[in-house]
Amino acid sequence: MTTARPPATTRTGGARGVELYTRVSLYLFVFLEPFFYLYAVTAVSNLEAELSVLAGVVLVTLGIAHTVLCLATVHAGFDGPLTVGRRPRPVVVVLLALTVAVLAAAVALLPPYPGGGLLHDPRSAMIAVCGAATCGALAVAEPLRRVAVVGGAVVLVVVALRVLSGAEPVAAAVLAGALTAVFVLFWSSTARMSMWIVEVVRRLDDAREVAARLAVAEERLRIARDMHDVVGRALSAVAVKSELAAALARRGDPRGADQMDEVRTLAQDSLREVRGVVAGYRGADLATELDGARSVLRAAGVAVRVVGEVPDLAAPQVEALAWVVREGVTNIVRHSDARECRIVLADEPVDGAGGAGRGRELALTVSNDGVRAGAAPDVAAGSTAGTTSGAGLVGLRERLAAVGGALEAEAVGDRFVLTARVPAPAREAAA
């Protein structure tokens, strides 16, 4: 079932302008119908005086009524379907009934001319105009097959009347029917093409609106992901250092004040990063994240060792690896019982590439011994916020995928290993 179209008043900009222009054009096109009836009306002057007046009044009345019904049908079809389910709307039923009445009046009141073309036969001309106007009104919102049925019926009526008159050969009657079909096709195709342009503009307007909504949704996802990364790490670090400072303060150890100073620094840095998230200008530096990882893990009582050097890669790749370090370390502090953590940076050849050409990649591995005994397989990845499909890992995978990388997470015995890989240029290309 065809869905209702939104009215032009709900749209803005170019779409509304195109709809308004097309609506006015179709309305004006409908008003051409009465002018074609003038030739048929003048033909009744050949009848007797009283019959001529009666026939003229009937034809004028029916012609005006038919024009009004065509206008109402175009108006209704412009904003919605003309058929609901399998039932046509009342305006369509009335229009078809009035079309039949006009055709019957033309047959009964207009005398056929003996011989001549279509324009020399007012009866056939009025039938052709009435049928074309009806098909044009229906073509705005009705399926083409239904419009074709109405148009075909009009053509058959014209051919049948001219054949039955016996004033011309069958070939001439068929030619008159072909001209009628061309006229009907022109009228209905004009209306249909106008509505097709409107539909294209409407879909473009809808696509633009959907694109705007997707952009808003994407920005919300970015902020949610970044807030998870920034706030999660900051709060974990603040909690660890605050607990250490409290323990030192209870023992009267002056180092507790130093830890609180670090808590203040973390809070200030986190506030700056949160502002960066909102502004959309936040980045992450791998060297800074490695230094922060050492500080946070040592404060949490986790021995940490970093192997390798910060790679000389493009900024987006280095930033993606920095987020892997941040998320991995945050989850070690929050979700594991680790006593030892190892962070390894290694330049490795891709399998089967032999180390040649572009077949190299940079692998960052964050491993720890904090898998909790007796945890379920998915929770055994406790070092990664619960499961390998948690919000943190989803964000990391999105970041790495954006630079052509990948992420692997697995628990082996009591160790959890998080591995990020990004493509690296070959040594010759780097040189």
Side-chain angles (χ1 to χ4, degrees), residues 241-264:
K241 289 185 174 293
S242 298
E243 184 178 357
L244 178 59
L248 293 174
R250 293 190 186 95
R251 297 200 305 264
D253 193 328
R255 290 180 297 175
D258 297 335
Q259 294 295 325
M260 292 307 300
D261 289 338
E262 292 186 16
V263 169
R264 180 186 60 188

Side-chain angles (χ1 to χ4, degrees), residues 109-183:
L109 301 177
L110 293 175
Y113 277 13
L118 179 64
L119 296 180
H120 296 281
D121 183 358
R123 184 174 65 178
S124 298
M126 186 169 186
I127 293 174
V129 171
C130 179
T134 301
C135 291
L138 295 177
V140 171
E142 278 287 355
L144 290 178
R145 61 180 182 275
R146 298 177 183 175
V147 178
V149 170
V150 177
V154 172
V155 172
L156 290 177
V157 169
V158 172
V159 173
L161 289 176
R162 295 178 71 90
V163 169
L164 293 176
S165 66
E168 59 184 5
V170 177
V174 173
L175 179 60
L179 293 177
T180 302
V182 171
F183 188 57

Side-chain angles (χ1 to χ4, degrees), residues 176-238:
L179 293 177
T180 302
V182 171
F183 188 57
V184 171
L185 180 62
F186 167 76
W187 199 302
S188 56
S189 62
T190 300
R192 192 70 173 188
M193 289 297 294
S194 299
M195 286 305 303
W196 177 78
I197 294 174
V198 171
E199 289 294 340
V200 171
V201 174
R202 282 170 171 169
R203 293 191 179 187
L204 289 176
D205 190 59
D206 293 340
R208 184 164 52 248
E209 183 179 355
V210 171
R213 291 180 180 178
L214 289 177
V216 173
E218 183 178 358
E219 182 64 12
R220 289 176 177 174
L221 288 175
R222 181 193 70 82
I223 294 176
R225 180 186 63 194
D226 294 350
M227 289 295 291
H228 172 274
D229 296 340
V230 172
V231 177
R233 173 183 177 275
L235 293 180
S236 298
V238 167

